[in-house]
Each structure stands twice: as C-alpha cells, then as structure tokens.
Amino acid sequence: MSVYQAQLRPPSPLTSALAGKIVIPEHARFDEARRAWNLAIDQRPAAVVFPESPQDVAAAVLLAREFDQRIAAQGTGHNAGPLGPLEDTILLKTERMRGIEIDPVNRVARVEAGVLWLEVVEAAARHGLAALAGSSPNVGVVGYTLGGGMSFLARKYGLTANNVRSIEMVSADGRLVRTDRDTEPDLFWALRGGGGSFGIVTAIELELFPIAQAYAGILWYPIDRGPEVLHTWRDLTHSDLPDELTTVGRFLNLPPIPEIPEQIRGQSFAIVEAYHLGDPAQADELLAPLRALGPINDTIGPVPMPALSHMHMDPEQPAPVAGDGLLLDRLPAEALDAFVEVAGAGAQFPLVSVELRHLGGDLRRPRPEHGALSSIDAQYAMFEAGIVPAPELEAPVRAQVQAVKDAIAPWSARHMYLNFAETPREPTTFWTEQAYHRLRRIKAAVDPENIIRANHPIPPAH
Ligand SMILES: Cc1cc2nc3c(=O)[nH]c(=O)nc-3n(C[C@H](O)[C@H](O)[C@H](O)COP(=O)(O)OP(=O)(O)OC[C@H]3O[C@@H](n4cnc5c(N)ncnc54)[C@H](O)[C@@H]3O)c2cc1C
C-alpha cells in the first residue's frame, strides 16, 4: 500500500468533496478506472478521479498537492503511451464532463473537457455547421486541440488550436481561470498547441464553419497495386491543389474481426481518401488520374459532415494499439518507393494502417494571432498503427512501426507533430526554438513545481 493510500483513509475535506469520484488501487473498480482507450497501455496511477465539474477538478488538484502527488488529465487515453509511470500521479479522467453548447449565431461550440469529437460534430451538424474534428469519432476534443488538431478541413482552415475562442482551466494551484486573446494571453497562447502541461482544461470554445456537406470518400485498390496508386496520388499532391482538397494515401491490412464489414474483412488494400469542400466537378477533375487506374470500389460522393468522422475507419471502440508518426518535408519518388517497400504488399509484418496525409495549405501559414503551434512546417504526415492482440505480438508490431519510420527518416521534417507522437520524443522537436523557450517560461510561471503532468511534457524553465 502506498503512503498516499494510507493517507487517504481518514476522510479529509477534499476527499469528502470528491466522494464517489475517487477510485484507489484497493477498489474492485480500479482496473476498469485506470484503463486507457489504448488497451496496450498499462497505466497504474496512485488513484483515479472522475470529476463532474470544474470545482471537482480544483479539488483534485488540491488533493494532489496535499498528498505530494502530481496530476495528469486524460480525456480518452488515445495518446496515453508517452505518459510513463504514474505511481506518483493522480489520473484525472474527464469522461463525465460531457456538456456541449452550440451557439449557431456566433458559430461557436463550448464543450466540456470529456467531450468526444463525434458528439460535437453531430451537435454542430444539427445547425448546418462543421467543427474541425480529426479522423476519429472518439478522440477527445480537448487533448486533440491542445496538441494542435489536424482535421481533414485543415488545409482550408488551419489547425483546430488556431480556431479556438477561449479556454477554461484549473491552474496548478487550484484556481479556475478563463483564458482568451485578452485574458491571460500568454496562457491562451501556450494552450493552443503546447499540449497539456499548463493547466487542467475544463472547457473550450471552438469556431464552427457553415458547411453542411463535403464531397468525400475512398478509392479502393488491391494492395499489390500500391506502387502505381501511391505514385499517382503523389503526383496529385505535387500539383497546384486547392486548399479545399485533402487526400490521404494509405495501406490497410484489415484484421479478420467482426467489427470490420464482411466485404473487406481480413483483406489488404492500397487506398486514396479524398475530402473536398466545394464544387464536386473540381474534385472529379483532380481525381481523374486515380480513377483512371480502375479502383475496385469508388465511394466518393456528397456526404453530410458527420460521415467524415467514420470515413477514415479509425477504431470506434478501445483497442490495443502500437503506433507512431513522422512528418515529412517532401516526398520525392524515391521516398515513396521506400515507403511502399516497407509498408505495402511486401511488408514483413503488415500493420493495420499506414497512411500519408497531405498537409500544406493553411496548415503551413503561420500568423501572429496563432498559438504555440502556429503552423505545421511539413508537407506530409505519416501515421501508422498496428493491433497488439497479445503481449507477445507487441515486439514485432513495434519493430514494424520503427521500420516504417526508419525507411522514410531521410525525408523527415525538422519538427514532429505532438498529436501523432505516440512514443516519448525530445520536446524541442515539437515547436520552433523560440516557441519552446516561451513555453518553458510560461510553464515556470504557472506550474513551477511541475505538478501537472502531460504526455508530452514541457519542463519549467530554470
Ligand atoms: C485512431 C486515432 C486517430 C487520430 N486522428 C487524429 C487526427 O485526425 N488529427 C489529429 O490531430 N490527431 C489525431 N490523433 C491524435 C490525437 O489527437 C491525440 O492522440 C490526442 O492526444 C488525443 O486526445 P485525447 O484527449 O483523446 O487523448 P488522451 O490520451 O486522453 O490525452 C492526451 C493528452 O492530452 C492532454 N489532455 C487531455 N485532456 C486534458 C485536459 N482536460 N486538460 C489538460 N490536458 C489534457 C494530456 O496531456 C494528455 O496526456 C489520432 C489518434 C488516434 C489514436
């Protein structure tokens, strides 16, 4: 039994305030409470707290301080991998904080810390509005946005973090703080792309866009046509594309499990995903060379915005996953050849998904009013994931994840994107040097004792 648990026994005012919302290792529910969305991660915190209000969050922060613990916020646990050992940490799971308010006139969504993307997307769509959601329906809005937030609309509208109106949080000393451009501007800047090191976010206000439908879908090919398909896709991304079109080139090796539709279950494909805003005729013209290759299926058509949250086929239930990412500066033909060789039909250990997302557009345009991650200075993002159905398969899956990164490393960008880093990284790789030093100074000002623990932490400046 840890000192912490022994001390928790006699109820203190703080533990009473959190009655029914704290789970400690001795509880029968502890294993369920400590579970992350990524089931391959075995997190063992000192205790788990399930706050239902900002006041509960403040009580949890003060509790952590009282018992000499750190505190780590978790929305879903999609990026729990890099958090590291948590034995000296209270894990604060925000899943009970699920309020959503849509203001259709000002086109703003205010969402509480535990809200998942599909919930906002569907609420906004009821007003003919769209949110800058990621590919997965069940990634947390807050974790995603603090890390930057790269949606399929990002070439047009930029990072989600740079489309935030305000952020409410609890500080490392337990105060409720509201930040926006005029109030606590340094903190507001740091929270937009600097990750979860600066406070426990309780709610966030996001811009919405008057978009009711997209022209989107997937071109499917057998995996052994990968080289010609992905080279044709690469040519498309090298042309002068409008920001309205985002495409993804990808290999899929779908496991033979009932969650996967029967017609594709257990099969492997090379695919190109297309997400277009605007006149479908423009997209059809741009996609014509890919269609000329004769896909075995072509699902591209007009779809309501919530359909985009399922199109990428990210797992919709918790899953044991090992994955990682890399940003690419450029993609010459030889880089694509290296990618196809390691990740395509001849892969030594096929992963469920290895993708290259085309970036650029507004993602690459820094602006003074932006947050800590002002832009993504890279042209492609690689993101890969393998399922780890049994512990003995973790090593080969991780070896393949590394092999893909190694194969394309010669073309990697100088910086990495925090949200796609599923392994610990040198923090200096996520931001420009100037932004990183500013983040460290802000961390030192707001959390000098480093109570708040993030998966990709920023150490306070000395
Ligand atoms: C299948 C899949 C698809 C994805 N698709 C995309 C995509 O399209 N675009 C993209 O940009 N990213 C994408 N991601 C990456 C995703 O954005 C990150 O994993 C993100 O960290 C998830 O946030 P979360 O809250 O769900 O995860 P968590 O693991 O719960 O949180 C990650 C970190 O965010 C911080 N955090 C979370 N909540 C709070 C809070 N209330 N206060 C303070 N800090 C907090 C903490 O530091 C925490 O460690 C994807 C990931 C997966 C696994």
Side-chain angles (χ1 to χ4, degrees):
M1 187 191 313
S2 72
V3 177
Y4 174 67
Q5 291 153 32
Q7 285 171 324
L8 263 184
R9 282 251 168 73
S12 74
L14 288 169
T15 52
S16 305
L18 291 169
K21 300 165 193 167
I22 304 183
V23 185
I24 60 170
E26 293 157 316
H27 286 162
R29 281 201 312 117
F30 187 67
D31 279 344
E32 189 194 333
R34 69 187 177 86
R35 197 173 295 150
W37 179 89
N38 186 348
L39 300 173
I41 306 302
D42 183 24
Q43 31 187 25
R44 293 177 180 275
V48 186
V49 175
F50 293 89
E52 292 173 8
S53 66
Q55 289 71 22
D56 285 350
V57 173
V61 169
L62 295 176
L63 187 73
R65 296 190 80 94
E66 188 175 332
F67 291 103
D68 212 13
Q69 302 289 301
R70 300 184 72 199
I71 189 154
Q74 189 160 80
T76 65
H78 270 80
N79 202 334
L83 257 181
L86 294 174
E87 65 269 12
D88 63 345
T89 300
I90 293 181
L91 186 63
L92 185 116
K93 289 192 151 196
T94 57
E95 64 195 45
R96 295 186 189 170
M97 297 177 69
R98 293 294 256 272
I100 301 178
E101 291 160 36
I102 305 289
D103 175 347
V105 176
N106 292 306
R107 292 191 199 138
V108 180
R110 179 182 180 278
V111 307
E112 290 184 348
V115 170
L116 308 181
W117 265 120
L118 185 61
E119 296 165 350
V120 192
V121 166
E122 288 183 336
R126 287 195 277 276
H127 301 276
L129 298 170
L132 299 182
S135 60
S136 159
N138 54 9
V139 152
V141 173
V142 168
Y144 164 101
T145 305
L146 294 179
M150 212 186 260
S151 80
F152 290 131
L153 313 184
R155 278 173 45 81
K156 174 80 178 158
Y157 296 108
L159 289 166
T160 307
N162 292 323
N163 289 280
V164 166
R165 296 245 183 123
S166 73
I167 299 178
E168 294 157 46
M169 53 159 257
V170 169
S171 63
D173 54 3
R175 284 177 302 115
L176 274 54
V177 180
R178 186 178 190 281
T179 74
D180 58 28
R181 249 178 244 303
D182 305 315
T183 320
E184 301 282 358
D186 272 357
L187 208 41
F188 186 57
W189 175 87
L191 290 165
R192 289 178 298 144
S197 293
F198 303 92
I200 310 288
V201 171
T202 54
I204 194 160
E205 275 192 322
L206 303 161
E207 306 269 353
L208 300 173
F209 299 86
I211 307 166
Q213 68 170 36
Y215 186 65
I218 302 179
L219 301 171
W220 296 78
Y221 309 84
I223 196 166
D224 53 15
R225 296 196 63 197
E228 57 179 325
V229 170
L230 288 203
H231 274 285
T232 308
W233 169 76
R234 186 191 82 95
D235 291 345
L236 173 70
T237 62
H238 276 72
S239 61
D240 189 19
L241 280 189
D243 294 352
E244 283 74 13
L245 180 64
T246 296
T247 54
V248 180
R250 187 176 183 195
F251 290 114
L252 284 177
N253 296 288
L254 299 167
I257 55 172
E259 290 82 358
I260 309 265
E262 204 176 336
Q263 65 274 26
I264 52 173
R265 190 181 299 160
Q267 298 181 54
S268 296
F269 300 93
I271 67 171
V272 173
E273 297 170 27
Y275 302 87
H276 184 257
L277 302 171
D279 182 3
Q282 182 189 43
D284 286 340
E285 195 184 324
L286 292 162
L287 296 170
L290 281 157
R291 283 189 163 130
L293 297 177
I296 48 178
N297 196 5
D298 175 348
T299 66
I300 298 174
V303 289
M305 292 312 280
L308 264 52
S309 295
H310 305 286
M311 200 158 272
H312 196 65
M313 298 168 287
D314 285 338
E316 301 204 3
Q317 297 299 325
V321 180
D324 217 350
L326 199 76
L327 294 184
L328 294 178
D329 229 2
R330 59 207 166 88
L331 189 64
E334 53 176 329
L336 189 63
D337 287 340
F339 176 77
V340 169
E341 193 178 327
V342 71
Q348 288 215 331
F349 194 97
L351 298 175
V352 174
S353 167
V354 190
E355 66 180 282
L356 289 170
R357 289 192 195 185
H358 184 219
L359 310 180
D362 210 58
L363 276 171
R364 216 165 179 170
R365 297 180 195 122
R367 294 198 181 88
E369 69 272 21
H370 284 176
L373 190 64
S374 187
S375 62
I376 302 273
D377 193 14
Q379 208 52 29
Y380 300 86
M382 187 280 291
F383 195 45
E384 53 177 335
I387 297 286
V388 184
E392 60 274 18
L393 288 175
E394 182 161 348
V397 173
R398 289 209 182 277
Q400 176 65 11
V401 165
Q402 188 60 43
V404 174
K405 285 197 292 182
D406 290 346
I408 56 172
W411 299 277
S412 65
R414 200 152 58 92
H415 293 292
M416 177 51 194
Y417 173 48
L418 186 153
N419 277 355
F420 282 179
E422 300 219 337
T423 50
R425 301 289 171 94
E426 174 55 46
T428 51
T429 60
F430 295 135
W431 302 278
T432 63
E433 200 182 336
Q434 199 188 11
Y436 178 63
H437 289 298
R438 185 171 170 197
L439 287 168
R440 287 198 63 185
R441 287 196 299 275
I442 295 171
K443 174 73 174 173
V446 299
D447 183 17
E449 296 149 283
N450 207 4
I451 302 280
I452 294 171
R453 175 174 195 151
N455 57 350
H456 293 293
I458 300 201
H462 299 301

